[in-house]
Amino acid sequence: MLVVLALFCGFLGWYAWASLKVDTEPVINLERNMKDAFEKQKFVDTVNFGKRILDKEPKSTVALLYVGQGLIQQDKNNEALDYLTQVVDSDAPEAAYCHLLAGQIYCNKLSKFQEGEKQFRRALHLQPQLTQAYKFMQYVLRVGTRSWELIPFELRVVEHKEMTIELMDDLSRNERLPPELGVVLKGIQENPDDPNVLLGHANFLRAQQKYAEAEPLLRKAVAGAPELDEASVRLGQVLWERGEDDEFVRWQADVKESVKHHPLYWLLLGRRAQSVGALPVAARCYWEAVKLDPNMQEADYQLGLVLMQLGRANDAKPFLDRASKLNVYIDLVRRNKVRAIELGGKGDPELAQQAIKSADELGNLWECYAWVLMTLDADKQNMALQQEESQMEPHLKNLEHKRTLPPYNPATKVDLSKLPLPEWKVASTSATKSTPAPARVSFEDKASAAGIKFEFVDGHDPQVRGLNKMYQMNGGGVGVIDFDRDGWPDLYFTQGSKDPQEHDQTEHLDKLFRNLGDGRFSDVTAQAGIVENSYSQGISVGDVDNDGFPDLFIANVGANRLYLNNGDGTFTDATEAAGVGDSTWTSSCVIADLNGDSLPDIYTVGFIQGDAITRICNNGKKRLDPCVPLEFPMAKSHFWLNRGDGRFEDVSAAAGIALPNGKGTSVLAADVNGSGKLDLLIGNQGNPNFFFKNAAKRGERPRFVDQGLSSGFALGFDGSPRYSYGLAAGDFNGDGLLDVHGTSTTEEADTLFLQQKSGVFVDAVRAAGLYEPTYLKNSFGTQTIDGDLDGVLDLFVVHGNVDDLSSEYLPYEMPPSYYKNDGKAHFTLVPEETLGPYFKSKYLGRSAAKLDWNRDGLEDVAISNLRAPAALLTNTTPHVGHHLTLRLVSTKSARDAIGTVVELTVGGKKLMRQLTAGDGFQASNERILVFGLGEKTAADSISVRWPSGQSQKLSSVPGDQEIVLIEGRGEPVVLRRK
């Protein structure tokens, strides 16, 4: 027994000695071993050493950090969190890094972004200069699309000189979607109640107009995180965009005070006030938004336009100027990003220099500094930039992390604080929304049956879907021309080729189809003497020599051509003699008497140039270069003044139309606001549109002034430019003023410019019901059409993407659309299945021209597609109203009578139509005006205002007939009765 006891005591002594040896090992040795194990990626040993330190010093920040890191490397994230979150805050860098690691686990592994955000903010509190923490905060805020909160964190990254071109691109724009849909979808699965996840998912849904799905997510986020102002603001945004006006007013009345410090809140109130005609209230709300964020394009632009309507042009100027400068800056940043992709990471030094100047003009000093640093990185020996950097840095030391210096905010120069704020009440009884009766409009494609066999050849590689080269984008045009003057409209289709550089090819030619008047067309191209073998784009029909026979002007990728009608069924190529063969890439063109001297002039719309013809974008396996129009220089537009002797003079510069940043795709010649002179509306691709207001007296040398910005025509409702492929004009709301519909690209809604009495255009695309159905469509040709002859102008639009993204979200081929107008400029998309079989298929639609080819009083549409046969959509609507078709002949001005305004009164209702030129995209319509009379069998009166200024009036004109009105002649000439 004594032996056993002795042995036991001996064991205890040994154990005590061994334990004492471990306990006495210095912590400094354990730390060294722990760090050494981590460097050698022995993560189990790292954790063991760290735990031994914690047994001795439970609050060791270093040990907690390394144990956490070691466990993360073993994918033991929850256990790692247990250690990392035990850290006691201190000045030690390791304390901040513990919070950083914990935040990353919460976000990346558990999708608990709210918890992750707390950890990142804690890290920044401890170490305000910790760049990684700012980047992680950016990530969290991006997931929740908290764009307004993002800005200071992005500027902190600039301060630490770690910016990228991608960051600058994001910073230049106020709206950002979550970085990856996968992050949000993962969060929905793992932590669907996280406010950031709810916000990010809701914003994705909102971008797809899935408002009914987005709204409950936002309400849940507001309830779960009432301190998150972004959630409340986004809820208001969804209610507004969904059209829930009563709910929007309730939302506005209930928001907490802190929400009013968010610029989007005031922007939404400005939209609502503007929509109900409360312009002073709208101005005040937009002003409040600009005060908070002078870089909010929509607020700047709309405030300028509202002030213009209020007669405060001087006050409007600084806001319109800033909207214009913002667009220039954003365009420069995006182009630099594209060049960076092309050049393998670094942008274009010249564009970067321009971005420096542009940011400086905006007062965006942090961004100016960033561009200086990035440009210096590419040009290290640039002494001027080195000096600029050294001069800027002292100013930045104590500067707030806001984009714009206060003196550059236009809201500080114009005081609108005395204008009224909203005082809205929810209607006592909610008006029931009326659902329009389904339209009975229908069409049938009769191209094949009528003998029209044509397909545009774009030169694409059959093995490659999508855009292979830039010239394959636009397709060809359609022109309606009664070249033999037999009363039956003929059709001209412009043709491409395998390669625009093959100037002598004769395999692919433009086609002229003669309407035989019996339901058939005949290809008479050869008999007419037309050999147009260029890669053709748009077309314009007009009588340039006033001889009564319409002529042709063809826009080409290369030299344009003018064909004069000989009056005997043949044409003569008069390009060289006329001097109009400019060799740039012309997309669209128009023939019209633009200076009022009775001689029709020619306007050509330049698109892009440089290596746009030769650059290969896609080889079928991958995209080789970022081929988008914004990266190519613009081609020149030309104003060809008719001298009256068969020759034309290029007066572009003197006329004021030689402006930079055009890249035009569409043109419309019209008397826009009743001046009696023809103006020009130019749709530009990705750049502000031009509104060339005719500033010359009748018969003088042409002189135009661009009023695009001040008139509201330059930009969409959000203050940004559109891809304005096509333009169509008409009075959509029955107020007697000319309005304009513009088509655009995917993820960018069309525009519906409604002209106000002040002459300002307001883009009412949302109120018109056109935002949702057009946002995901790439739209080209557009035409106004009264398909059922009820007296109201509807819209016909063709669609088709320019590239195959292999995405259900953004399709490649698309069917055409017909939008029914209720007479108050609210449109409803007519279901495809009711329109006819053609609408059940998908196409790459491009140009569409309007005509009544069978002269039954119903307007039809001719379409040129890419990679599919041309269509002749014949109006087969079974139940239609009565009609009156007018042809106009001017005698005291150019014979074509472009700009003539006709006002018809029927049943006490006034219908205004104007004969315009250039409507659509690369198209030329039949020169007729079709009035739908509805149930009435006659027009009460017809008033005509000719371009010469002369007016005439007719009374009690029977319907269901086609008549000619000749200027100065009292009675019309009846051509055809139904």
Side-chain angles (χ1 to χ4, degrees):
M1 185 70 180
L2 291 174
V3 174
V4 173
L5 182 61
L7 288 173
F8 179 70
C9 290
F11 173 77
L12 287 178
W14 175 84
Y15 181 80
W17 175 83
S19 298
L20 182 63
K21 182 179 180 182
V22 173
D23 289 341
T24 58
E25 185 174 356
V27 169
I28 190 170
N29 291 345
L30 292 173
E31 284 189 1
R32 183 172 59 248
N33 293 334
M34 176 182 66
K35 294 176 180 178
D36 184 61
F38 187 79
E39 287 180 6
K40 294 178 179 178
Q41 300 185 16
K42 296 179 179 180
F43 302 120
V44 173
D45 291 344
T46 302
V47 172
N48 289 336
F49 282 121
K51 287 181 177 179
R52 289 168 63 186
I53 295 171
L54 292 171
D55 286 339
K56 296 170 137 335
E57 296 181 2
K59 295 183 180 180
S60 170
T61 303
V62 174
L64 289 170
L65 176 62
Y66 273 87
V67 169
Q69 290 183 102
L71 290 169
I72 290 172
Q73 294 298 328
Q74 298 175 63
D75 205 23
K76 297 178 179 180
N77 296 298
N78 287 320
E79 189 179 347
L81 275 178
D82 290 339
Y83 284 92
L84 294 169
T85 54
Q86 291 179 39
V87 69
V88 176
D89 289 346
S90 68
D91 293 337
E94 291 83 0
Y97 280 106
C98 282
H99 287 297
L100 279 188
L101 284 176
Q104 287 179 277
I105 293 172
Y106 277 126
C107 293
N108 299 336
K109 303 298 183 180
L110 306 176
S111 296
K112 293 184 177 181
F113 294 96
Q114 190 175 30
E115 295 300 322
E117 181 178 345
K118 291 177 183 177
Q119 295 294 326
F120 296 146
R121 288 188 183 276
R122 196 66 196 162
L124 281 172
H125 175 74
L126 299 176
Q127 296 287 333
Q129 300 304 317
L130 196 57
T131 308
Q132 295 96 317
Y134 290 110
K135 291 182 178 180
F136 292 144
M137 275 300 300
Q138 284 184 61
Y139 176 72
V140 170
L141 297 174
R142 284 173 186 275
V143 171
T145 60
R146 294 154 64 181
S147 305
W148 178 237
E149 295 177 69
L150 255 171
I151 294 172
F153 294 97
E154 292 173 326
L155 294 179
R156 283 280 192 177
V157 173
V158 172
E159 182 183 25
H160 294 159
K161 303 183 178 182
E162 295 193 18
M163 61 277 146
T164 62
I165 289 180
E166 289 74 18
L167 171 65
M168 302 308 297
D169 181 49
D170 285 342
L171 186 59
S172 71
R173 291 174 284 136
N174 278 315
E175 275 296 313
R176 302 167 183 85
L177 285 174
E180 293 180 11
L181 178 59
V183 173
V184 175
L185 295 178
K186 177 174 176 283
I188 293 169
Q189 296 296 320
E190 296 179 349
N191 190 21
D193 293 331
D194 184 271
N196 250 33
V197 171
L198 292 168
L199 260 173
H201 190 203
N203 214 35
F204 260 121
L205 294 170
R206 184 191 67 81
Q208 300 174 61
Q209 293 88 48
K210 296 179 179 179
Y211 302 119
E213 297 176 44
E215 182 181 337
L217 299 182
L218 291 168
R219 291 193 182 278
K220 188 176 180 180
V222 171
E227 75 283 358
L228 199 59
D229 292 339
E230 186 78 25
S232 180
V233 173
R234 294 292 181 180
L235 174 60
Q237 185 179 25
V238 164
L239 293 173
W240 167 251
E241 292 179 1
R242 191 180 181 184
E244 300 290 341
D245 191 63
D246 285 352
E247 286 298 315
F248 180 83
V249 173
R250 288 192 187 94
W251 163 82
Q252 188 264 333
D254 294 340
V255 296
K256 55 193 180 71
E257 194 63 28
S258 61
V259 174
K260 298 177 183 178
H261 297 286
H262 197 302
L264 182 55
Y265 167 80
W266 291 104
L267 181 75
L268 294 171
L269 299 194
R271 286 180 183 174
R272 203 268 174 179
Q274 194 175 13
S275 72
V276 298
L279 296 185
V281 175
R284 173 65 186 275
C285 293
Y286 286 136
W287 181 72
E288 295 287 349
V290 174
K291 271 204 311 180
L292 292 168
D293 184 3
N295 300 294
M296 185 173 269
Q297 294 166 270
E298 182 178 349
D300 282 303
Y301 188 56
Q302 292 299 336
L303 177 53
L305 296 182
V306 169
L307 289 172
M308 289 291 293
Q309 292 178 76
L310 292 172
R312 301 177 63 165
N314 289 336
D315 289 341
K317 189 177 186 304
F319 300 101
L320 293 175
D321 285 347
R322 185 162 187 91
S324 178
K325 289 178 180 179
L326 282 168
N327 276 306
V328 170
Y329 176 60
I330 291 170
D331 179 61
L332 285 169
V333 175
R334 289 179 179 174
R335 287 166 59 197
N336 213 311
K337 181 180 177 181
V338 169
R339 290 291 289 163
I341 295 171
E342 185 179 0
L343 298 174
K346 291 189 177 182
D348 187 303
E350 183 179 344
L351 288 174
Q353 288 277 10
Q354 294 178 47
I356 293 171
K357 181 180 178 182
S358 183
D360 183 56
E361 290 176 349
L362 288 166
N364 292 4
L365 193 58
W366 285 111
E367 287 157 272
C368 183
Y369 177 64
W371 285 109
V372 167
L373 293 178
M374 289 192 296
T375 311
L376 259 176
D377 184 54
D379 184 10
K380 292 182 172 57
Q381 305 305 316
N382 192 317
M383 300 297 293
L385 287 177
Q386 291 178 21
Q387 184 178 2
E388 194 165 352
E389 177 191 8
S390 62
Q391 290 175 345
M392 293 177 73
E393 287 184 339
H395 297 286
L396 297 172
K397 285 184 178 178
N398 299 313
L399 190 66
E400 284 187 279
H401 293 90
K402 294 182 178 180
R403 287 185 68 190
T404 306
L405 298 173
Y408 288 82
N409 188 332
T412 63
K413 301 173 183 176
V414 179
D415 184 7
L416 301 181
S417 60
K418 294 182 180 179
L419 291 178
L421 290 167
E423 293 182 3
W424 297 325
K425 294 181 180 180
V426 179
S428 55
T429 57
S430 238
T432 304
K433 289 184 179 179
S434 60
T435 304
R440 300 297 181 186
V441 182
S442 63
F443 295 84
E444 180 183 348
D445 179 15
K446 294 190 177 182
S448 180
I452 295 176
K453 292 178 173 57
F454 178 85
E455 183 172 331
F456 185 83
V457 176
D458 65 0
H460 77 282
D461 182 346
Q463 304 300 317
V464 178
R465 280 178 64 85
L467 184 67
N468 184 230
K469 291 185 178 179
M470 283 302 298
Y471 59 78
Q472 297 163 6
M473 182 176 69
N474 286 351
V478 185
V480 185
I481 175 173
D482 181 9
F483 76 95
D484 53 5
R485 305 300 293 164
D486 64 354
W488 295 91
D490 312 305
L491 282 169
Y492 188 104
F493 291 90
T494 69
Q495 180 60 285
S497 66
K498 293 179 180 178
D499 188 338
Q501 299 176 97
E502 296 179 0
H503 302 296
D504 298 326
Q505 69 88 26
T506 56
E507 182 181 1
H508 305 291
L509 306 174
D510 291 9
K511 293 291 184 181
L512 175 63
F513 293 93
R514 180 173 179 250
N515 189 339
L516 302 179
D518 60 358
R520 295 176 299 131
F521 285 79
S522 175
D523 182 352
V524 295
T525 314
Q527 297 94 308
I530 295 175
V531 183
E532 181 52 64
N533 64 345
S534 297
Y535 197 100
S536 300
Q537 301 279 271
I539 177 175
S540 186
V541 177
D543 190 356
V544 298
D545 50 11
N546 286 322
D547 66 352
F549 290 91
D551 309 302
L552 291 165
F553 189 86
I554 313 300
N556 291 319
V557 180
N560 301 323
R561 285 208 175 97
L562 172 65
Y563 289 99
L564 292 182
N565 192 331
N566 298 320
D568 59 0
T570 66
F571 290 82
T572 297
D573 183 352
T575 310
E576 186 175 348
V580 292
D582 176 63
S583 60
T584 58
W585 183 342
T586 303
S587 58
S588 292
C589 51
V590 68
I591 297 173
D593 178 13
L594 297 172
N595 68 333
D597 64 355
S598 300
L599 298 172
D601 310 302
I602 299 173
Y603 184 90
T604 63
V605 181
F607 187 37
I608 55 178
Q609 56 182 353
D611 63 343
I613 296 176
T614 58
R615 186 182 300 187
I616 298 175
C617 312
N618 180 1
N619 66 0
K621 297 178 181 179
K622 64 178 181 178
R623 181 149 300 287
L624 303 178
D625 280 316
C627 282
V628 288
L630 64 86
E631 70 168 311
F632 295 96
M634 59 170 279
K636 291 182 179 180
S637 296
H638 289 276
F639 187 126
W640 298 103
L641 181 67
N642 193 335
R643 296 176 54 175
D645 59 358
R647 293 177 296 168
F648 289 77
E649 178 186 356
D650 186 356
V651 295
S652 307
I657 62 98
L659 298 184
N661 297 323
K663 297 175 186 174
T665 50
S666 50
V667 58
L668 185 68
D671 179 359
V672 174
N673 44 28
S675 67
K677 297 178 288 186
L678 285 182
D679 311 304
L680 288 167
L681 298 174
I682 311 297
N684 290 319
Q685 192 168 133
N687 289 312
N689 297 329
F690 298 145
F691 173 16
F692 289 130
K693 181 65 183 169
N694 197 329
K697 293 181 180 180
R698 183 174 175 80
E700 288 184 345
R701 298 281 291 181
R703 182 169 57 89
F704 291 81
V705 178
D706 179 26
Q707 295 184 356
L709 196 66
S710 61
S711 70
F713 181 72
L715 308 170
F717 73 91
D718 58 0
S720 62
R722 295 288 187 264
Y723 270 50
S724 301
Y725 289 118
L727 298 173
D731 179 9
F732 297 123
N733 54 3
D735 62 357
L737 300 173
L738 196 69
D739 311 309
V740 181
H741 172 247
T743 56
S744 195
T745 188
T746 52
E747 297 185 288
E748 186 177 277
D750 287 1
T751 49
L752 189 75
F753 294 110
L754 297 183
Q755 188 175 176
Q756 311 299 300
K757 291 182 179 178
S758 61
V760 172
F761 286 101
V762 172
D763 180 10
V765 66
R766 282 196 183 278
L770 289 172
Y771 185 91
E772 290 183 48
T774 65
Y775 184 76
L776 295 180
K777 292 177 180 176
N778 200 90
S779 307
F780 277 88
T782 174
Q783 294 293 347
T784 60
I785 183 171
D786 182 1
D788 55 4
L789 297 177
D790 64 352
V792 176
L793 289 179
D794 307 322
L795 284 171
F796 182 96
V797 185
V798 293
H799 315 283
N801 221 326
V802 296
D803 204 2
D804 181 13
L805 302 176
S806 300
S807 167
E808 293 183 8
Y809 176 68
L810 296 174
Y812 188 35
E813 294 96 352
M814 306 173 189
S817 296
Y818 191 101
Y819 300 100
K820 188 76 181 76
N821 185 1
D822 67 355
K824 299 177 182 178
H826 187 274
F827 294 82
T828 303
L829 179 63
V830 179
E832 295 164 0
E833 56 269 19
T834 68
L835 287 165
Y838 187 83
F839 294 79
K840 296 178 182 178
S841 298
K842 298 179 180 180
Y843 312 90
L844 297 176
R846 290 301 186 259
S847 183
K850 186 172 56 173
L851 73 163
D852 178 8
W853 75 273
N854 53 9
R855 299 177 76 179
D856 61 355
L858 293 169
E859 287 181 292
D860 315 304
V861 182
I863 301 172
S864 179
N865 297 308
L866 282 179
R867 306 174 195 181
L872 182 62
L873 292 191
T874 304
N875 195 332
T876 56
T877 304
H879 303 291
V880 298
H882 299 277
H883 77 281
L884 191 59
T885 299
L886 305 184
R887 297 185 183 272
L888 304 172
V889 178
S890 179
T891 58
K892 301 183 183 300
S893 52
R895 183 185 181 93
D896 287 339
I898 303 300
T900 302
V901 177
V902 179
E903 188 176 88
L904 182 147
T905 303
V906 55
K909 180 181 178 181
K910 291 184 178 180
L911 307 179
M912 188 280 288
R913 303 283 187 269
Q914 183 177 157
L915 189 64
T916 58
D919 305 64
F921 169 71
Q922 300 186 165
S924 190
N925 294 332
E926 184 178 8
R927 297 285 189 253
I928 58 174
L929 295 178
V930 177
F931 287 85
L933 306 179
E935 297 178 353
K936 303 297 181 180
T937 59
D940 300 328
S941 65
I942 298 177
S943 298
V944 184
R945 189 183 75 240
W946 298 92
S948 65
Q950 182 170 327
S951 298
Q952 65 189 82
K953 188 171 183 178
L954 294 82
S955 300
S956 301
V957 182
D960 296 325
Q961 61 177 347
E962 179 184 334
I963 62 176
V964 179
L965 297 181
I966 302 174
E967 183 178 13
R969 183 180 297 183
E971 293 300 315
V973 177
V974 178
L975 294 182
R976 188 176 180 86
R977 287 191 175 92
K978 192 171 180 179

